[in-house]
Amino acid sequence: MEDKKLFSEFPPVSTEKWEEVINKDLKGADYEKKLVWKTIEGFNVKPYYRAEDLEGLEYLDSNPAQAPYTRGKNADNNVWDIRQDIKAETLEEANRLAIEALERGANSLGFCACKADTVEKMQILLKDIQLEACKVNFTCSKNMLETLKIFAEVVKANGFDAEKVYGSCNFDMYGHALMFGSYCEGEEGCLKMAKEMIEFAKANLPKFHVIAINGCHIHNAGSNIVQELGFTLASANDMLARLTDMGLQVCDIAPRMMFNFATGSNYFMEIAKIRAARMLWSKIVEQYNPCCDCCYKVFINATSSIWNKSIFDPYVNMLRTTTETMSAAIAGADSITTNPFDIAYKGSDSFGYRIGRNQQLLLKEESYMDKIVDPAAGSYYIENLTNSIAQHAWDLFLTVEGKGGFGKAIREGYVQDEVARMSQQRDMDIATRKTTILGTNQYPNLIEKMSEKIEKESAYCGKKACCCEATEIKTLRRYRGAEAFEQLRLATEKSGRRPKVFLLTYGNLAMRKARSGFATNFFGVAGYEIIDNVGFKSAEEGVEAALKAQADIVVMCSSDDEYAEICENVCKGLKGKVKSIVLAGYPKDQIDTYKGYGVDEFIHVKTNVLDCLTKYNKEFGF
């Protein structure tokens, strides 16, 4: 049988040929502006990648389970822990939720703000939990060293083998300082506690991670991906440097550290971030001349972002957490926490927990993502994103090192100021709807009401780990990107009145429908009542209908050419009789003329929607 190559009749197409076709289709439009994505992280992403774009990426020569571990730590699987973080008012309730979680698919537990500060209380918290069969993680404890000692005592008292007990303590001195403004035990006291925790864990709980580096705090303050990674690495390196100066060996410290990252909705970028984190950590640890490979294998827990979650249209949060969980799984995270979809406005309950667990179970049991080693391998796009994120995060890491390390950088406020600068940019993108938060600043559910569903103290707000006064260090601002728009709509709800927005549609069918749809979204995000229409034959007919409807705001929706036909008469008929006259669009050559007629506002794609609606809410007294 003649040996023929299957695709021999399809010759390869060169990059030049591709570019030629693309430029032809662009018909003279600027290639850079139309097709190149300029990320907020500071680098550009091309519209397509080819094999030649992988040339020079040295880490591609390694396999999974080989340094620099970009491709993961496992050679034969992609297994991760399904972790559920539990917040409860009592130890008994926390224990009940923990048992329920384990029975329904979780194999890692996170106890948040559970005051198990005696052996008796810890026994209540861990009742009927087989500590050799699941991982136990503690967070939000005032004294992590004491918690660790109590837990070790319970492990011993209940007859468990400490060599088979896995878990973590979320002790992060820098993270705490950024959240609350000071170190719980003072800076030197915290370092001393960190050293003691490592020494205690080595002797009594050898499989425990006792030093956490919480990149999630930076993420949930509105940072970009490069900042989250670069600052996380800087924080981790500072801990390594300072603890080794205190006499510990890197082989005692690194294996007992863990990274907590948040994963947002930027699907491919989040995959690349976690892969880049492993690669850069290997690069950092190498400088300490570790005695074993275990130092390179950082444990990564990925938690779904809180920053991008919304109160309105909350079931969209399920879509967000699904892609976020997928990003973490494909990237090879060791542990994944999928937050309840309703975490932004209420305390967690069994339903929210169940949805979060099941999202991970579906990815494992039906998509088999735990079976495929490094699912992202070979993707030209993801490999280039990994490299770009790594390069820019490394540059940021070096900048922090040049300032004397992470501890000094946060005392100077450098980290906080950089994150604040980025969060302001992201806030502006949301305000102008360059960034869409579905159901919040775009495409709102017009009949939805949420004010009565919001609990006084949401799971997001949480409780402070201790009562430190925020005087030493500038704190990060913890918030969600959707909050400003949510406050507008909640103010409308609580007022008991919905301003009426009347869409005066006229003329060209396509233009009036497009602009009425735009106006509906524009005012709908503030909770205003929208009165749409099929179209009027004249300005006078539209004015009559608007007055009959007792409209507060009237929006003209037509084409730029046809505004010349109706604008003057609409303004004559409505001026002084409605709160505001608005024109959908921006016919720049006629702006002054239309303002002279009485148009109060022009709404268009470049409008700062948040500022505009804030002004209207103030005028209505909300």
Side-chain angles (χ1 to χ4, degrees), residues 8 33 52 60 74 77 146 148 150 171 194 205 213 234 290 317 330 332 352 354 375 417 424 484 529 572 576 614-615:
S8 59
K33 289 183 178 179
E52 63 203 56
L60 293 179
N74 301 321
N77 64 67
E146 189 64 25
L148 191 65
I150 292 170
F171 180 80
L205 292 167
I213 310 295
N317 291 331
I330 291 171
R354 177 190 171 205
D417 290 345
Q424 288 169 5
E529 180 184 350
K572 281 182 180 179
T614 298
K615 181 191 72 173

Side-chain angles (χ1 to χ4, degrees), residues 135-184:
K135 296 183 179 180
V136 177
N137 307 276
F138 296 100
T139 187
C140 296
S141 172
K142 181 177 181 179
N143 190 328
M144 279 294 182
L145 178 58
E146 189 64 25
T147 298
L148 191 65
K149 289 179 177 179
I150 292 170
F151 178 74
E153 192 171 339
V154 170
V155 168
K156 183 177 180 181
N158 291 347
F160 293 111
D161 183 352
E163 290 282 347
K164 298 178 180 179
V165 175
Y166 291 78
S168 71
C169 282
N170 189 27
F171 180 80
D172 180 4
M173 57 179 279
Y174 291 135
H176 184 279
L178 286 171
M179 296 284 276
F180 304 116
S182 63
Y183 299 99
C184 254

